[in-house]
CSV table of all heavy atoms in Angstrom, one decimal:
chain,number,residue,atom,x,y,z
A,29,GLN,N,82.4,-117.1,40.0
A,29,GLN,CA,83.2,-117.1,41.2
A,29,GLN,C,84.3,-118.1,41.2
A,29,GLN,O,85.5,-117.9,41.6
A,29,GLN,CB,82.4,-117.3,42.5
A,29,GLN,CG,81.5,-116.2,42.8
A,29,GLN,CD,82.3,-114.9,43.3
A,29,GLN,OE1,83.4,-114.7,43.0
A,29,GLN,NE2,81.6,-114.0,44.0
A,155,PHE,N,77.5,-122.2,48.3
A,155,PHE,CA,77.3,-120.8,47.9
A,155,PHE,C,75.9,-120.3,48.1
A,155,PHE,O,75.0,-121.0,47.6
A,155,PHE,CB,77.7,-120.6,46.4
A,155,PHE,CG,79.1,-120.7,46.1
A,155,PHE,CD1,79.5,-120.7,44.7
A,155,PHE,CD2,80.1,-120.7,47.0
A,155,PHE,CE1,80.8,-120.8,44.4
A,155,PHE,CE2,81.5,-120.7,46.7
A,155,PHE,CZ,81.8,-120.8,45.3
A,158,ASN,N,75.2,-114.5,49.4
A,158,ASN,CA,76.3,-113.8,50.1
A,158,ASN,C,77.7,-114.1,49.4
A,158,ASN,O,78.6,-113.3,49.5
A,158,ASN,CB,76.4,-114.2,51.5
A,158,ASN,CG,75.2,-113.6,52.3
A,158,ASN,OD1,74.8,-112.5,52.0
A,158,ASN,ND2,74.7,-114.4,53.2
A,159,GLU,N,77.8,-115.3,48.8
A,159,GLU,CA,79.1,-115.6,48.2
A,159,GLU,C,79.1,-115.4,46.7
A,159,GLU,O,80.1,-115.1,46.1
A,159,GLU,CB,79.4,-117.1,48.4
A,159,GLU,CG,79.8,-117.4,49.9
A,159,GLU,CD,78.5,-117.6,50.8
A,159,GLU,OE1,77.5,-118.0,50.3
A,159,GLU,OE2,78.6,-117.3,52.0
A,162,PRO,N,78.6,-110.8,45.2
A,162,PRO,CA,79.6,-109.8,45.1
A,162,PRO,C,80.8,-110.2,44.2
A,162,PRO,O,80.9,-111.4,43.8
A,162,PRO,CB,80.1,-109.7,46.6
A,162,PRO,CG,79.7,-111.0,47.2
A,162,PRO,CD,78.5,-111.5,46.5
A,164,PHE,N,84.1,-110.2,44.7
A,164,PHE,CA,85.0,-111.1,45.5
A,164,PHE,C,84.1,-112.0,46.4
A,164,PHE,O,83.3,-111.5,47.1
A,164,PHE,CB,86.0,-110.3,46.3
A,164,PHE,CG,86.9,-109.5,45.4
A,164,PHE,CD1,86.9,-108.2,45.4
A,164,PHE,CD2,87.9,-110.2,44.6
A,164,PHE,CE1,87.7,-107.4,44.5
A,164,PHE,CE2,88.8,-109.5,43.8
A,164,PHE,CZ,88.7,-108.1,43.8
A,165,ILE,N,84.4,-113.3,46.4
A,165,ILE,CA,83.6,-114.3,47.0
A,165,ILE,C,83.3,-114.0,48.5
A,165,ILE,O,82.2,-114.2,49.0
A,165,ILE,CB,84.1,-115.7,46.8
A,165,ILE,CG1,83.1,-116.7,47.2
A,165,ILE,CG2,85.4,-115.9,47.5
A,165,ILE,CD1,83.5,-118.1,46.8
A,166,TYR,N,84.3,-113.5,49.2
A,166,TYR,CA,84.1,-113.2,50.7
A,166,TYR,C,84.0,-111.7,51.0
A,166,TYR,O,84.2,-111.3,52.1
A,166,TYR,CB,85.2,-113.9,51.5
A,166,TYR,CG,85.3,-115.4,51.3
A,166,TYR,CD1,86.4,-116.0,50.7
A,166,TYR,CD2,84.2,-116.1,51.7
A,166,TYR,CE1,86.4,-117.4,50.6
A,166,TYR,CE2,84.2,-117.5,51.5
A,166,TYR,CZ,85.3,-118.1,50.9
A,166,TYR,OH,85.3,-119.5,50.8
A,167,GLU,N,83.6,-110.9,50.0
A,167,GLU,CA,83.6,-109.5,50.2
A,167,GLU,C,82.6,-109.1,51.3
A,167,GLU,O,82.9,-108.2,52.1
A,167,GLU,CB,83.1,-108.9,48.9
A,167,GLU,CG,83.1,-107.4,48.8
A,167,GLU,CD,82.8,-106.9,47.4
A,167,GLU,OE1,83.4,-107.3,46.5
A,167,GLU,OE2,81.9,-106.0,47.4
A,168,ARG,N,81.5,-109.8,51.4
A,168,ARG,CA,80.5,-109.4,52.4
A,168,ARG,C,80.9,-109.8,53.8
A,168,ARG,O,80.3,-109.5,54.8
A,168,ARG,CB,79.2,-110.0,52.1
A,168,ARG,CG,78.6,-109.4,50.9
A,168,ARG,CD,77.2,-109.8,50.6
A,168,ARG,NE,76.7,-109.1,49.4
A,168,ARG,CZ,75.7,-109.5,48.7
A,168,ARG,NH1,75.1,-110.6,49.0
A,168,ARG,NH2,75.3,-108.8,47.6
A,169,TYR,N,82.0,-110.6,54.0
A,169,TYR,CA,82.4,-111.0,55.3
A,169,TYR,C,83.5,-110.2,55.9
A,169,TYR,O,84.0,-110.4,57.0
A,169,TYR,CB,82.9,-112.5,55.2
A,169,TYR,CG,81.8,-113.4,54.8
A,169,TYR,CD1,81.7,-113.9,53.5
A,169,TYR,CD2,80.8,-113.8,55.7
A,169,TYR,CE1,80.6,-114.7,53.1
A,169,TYR,CE2,79.8,-114.7,55.4
A,169,TYR,CZ,79.7,-115.1,54.0
A,169,TYR,OH,78.6,-115.9,53.7
A,170,LYS,N,84.0,-109.2,55.2
A,170,LYS,CA,85.0,-108.3,55.7
A,170,LYS,C,84.7,-107.7,57.0
A,170,LYS,O,85.5,-107.6,57.9
A,170,LYS,CB,85.4,-107.2,54.6
A,170,LYS,CG,86.1,-107.6,53.4
A,170,LYS,CD,86.5,-106.4,52.7
A,170,LYS,CE,86.0,-106.6,51.3
A,170,LYS,NZ,86.3,-105.4,50.4
Side-chain angles (χ1 to χ4, degrees):
Q29 287 296 21
F155 285 172
N158 292 322
E159 291 82 30
F164 295 109
I165 192 166
Y166 298 118
E167 186 173 310
R168 292 188 178 158
Y169 296 101
K170 284 188 239 177

